Amino acid sequence: MTAPMSRDAWSAALRAMGRRVTRQRLAVLEAAHRLPHASAEAILHEARTALPDLTAPSVYQVLADLTEWELLRKLETPGSPARYETRIGDNHHHVMCIRCGAVEDVPCIVGHAPCLTPAPGTGMRVLTADVLFQGICASCESSQVAGGHEAGRYPPLDIPGQPVPDPTRSPV
C-alpha cells in the first residue's frame, strides 16, 4: 500500500481496517507527512499546531498503532531516537549523515524487494531488508572544510554501543 497523502485518504484507510478515525490519529499522520523521518518529539510538536492539548503518551500510542497498522514506517537509526515516515509500501532505504543526523530516502539499489538476500541456511523466508547508508551530507562536508579541517577527516562520533576509533591509528 502506498502512503495516503490526504486527510480523506487516511480516514478511508483507517475505516477500511475497522479503526476509528480520530483527530489525534489524523494530526499525527499529517505531522509525520509534513516532517519525513521525524522523531516522536518532533511529531508531537508539529501535531500540537492542530491539537494544542495533545499529550506525549497519546502521540507515542498513536505512533505505535499506526506503525502496527502499516500506515507509518518506523526507522531505527544509530545514536538517535526512532523516526517515522508516511512513505510506505515501496522498496526504499535511507542514508543518514553521521555528523548532523539528517536522513534522506534512497531508492532501492537493486531490483525487487528484498534488495538483499542472505546466504542460504537461515531457515527463514526474507520479507524485507532495511538498509541504512551512513555518510556526510553536503552541508556538513562544506562546513567542515570551511572550518579549516581537511576534507574527509572528521572526529569520531560517539555512537552508543560502538567503540570510538583511535584517531592516531590508521584503520586496518
Side-chain angles (χ1 to χ4, degrees):
M1 172 177 167
T2 58
M5 295 186 188
S6 72
R7 182 176 275 268
D8 290 341
W10 279 314
S11 296
L14 286 165
R15 284 188 191 99
M17 294 178 203
R19 306 296 179 179
R20 290 184 311 126
V21 177
T22 66
R23 293 179 307 141
Q24 294 87 346
R25 289 174 180 165
L26 292 176
V28 167
L29 281 164
E30 290 170 347
H33 188 66
R34 282 192 300 273
L35 302 174
H37 313 123
S39 67
E41 290 297 318
I43 290 171
L44 170 63
H45 180 74
E46 180 70 15
R48 280 185 173 159
T49 62
L51 294 175
D53 294 330
L54 192 60
T55 66
S58 177
V59 166
Y60 280 99
Q61 184 60 55
V62 169
L63 287 169
D65 290 343
L66 294 172
T67 300
E68 179 183 337
W69 303 332
E70 298 180 350
L71 290 175
L72 286 180
R73 181 177 178 187
K74 182 178 182 180
L75 312 173
E76 302 284 351
T77 54
S80 65
R83 300 161 186 249
Y84 299 86
E85 67 179 342
T86 58
R87 184 175 171 186
I88 56 170
D90 70 341
N91 195 23
H92 76 279
H93 304 296
H94 299 92
V95 60
M96 177 180 155
C97 177
I98 62 168
R99 303 297 336 142
C100 68
V103 175
E104 298 293 332
D105 290 332
V106 176
C108 178
I109 54 174
V110 180
H112 303 287
C115 294
L116 305 174
T117 304
T122 63
M124 293 188 196
R125 180 173 58 95
V126 176
L127 302 175
T128 186
D130 291 322
V131 175
L132 177 66
F133 297 97
Q134 295 182 45
I136 309 291
C137 71
S139 177
C140 289
E141 185 79 38
S142 64
S143 68
Q144 189 75 16
V145 171
H149 297 282
E150 179 184 340
R153 296 281 307 168
Y154 292 90
L157 263 187
D158 183 17
I159 298 175
Q162 294 190 9
V164 176
D166 180 350
T168 63
R169 294 182 44 174
S170 62
V172 178

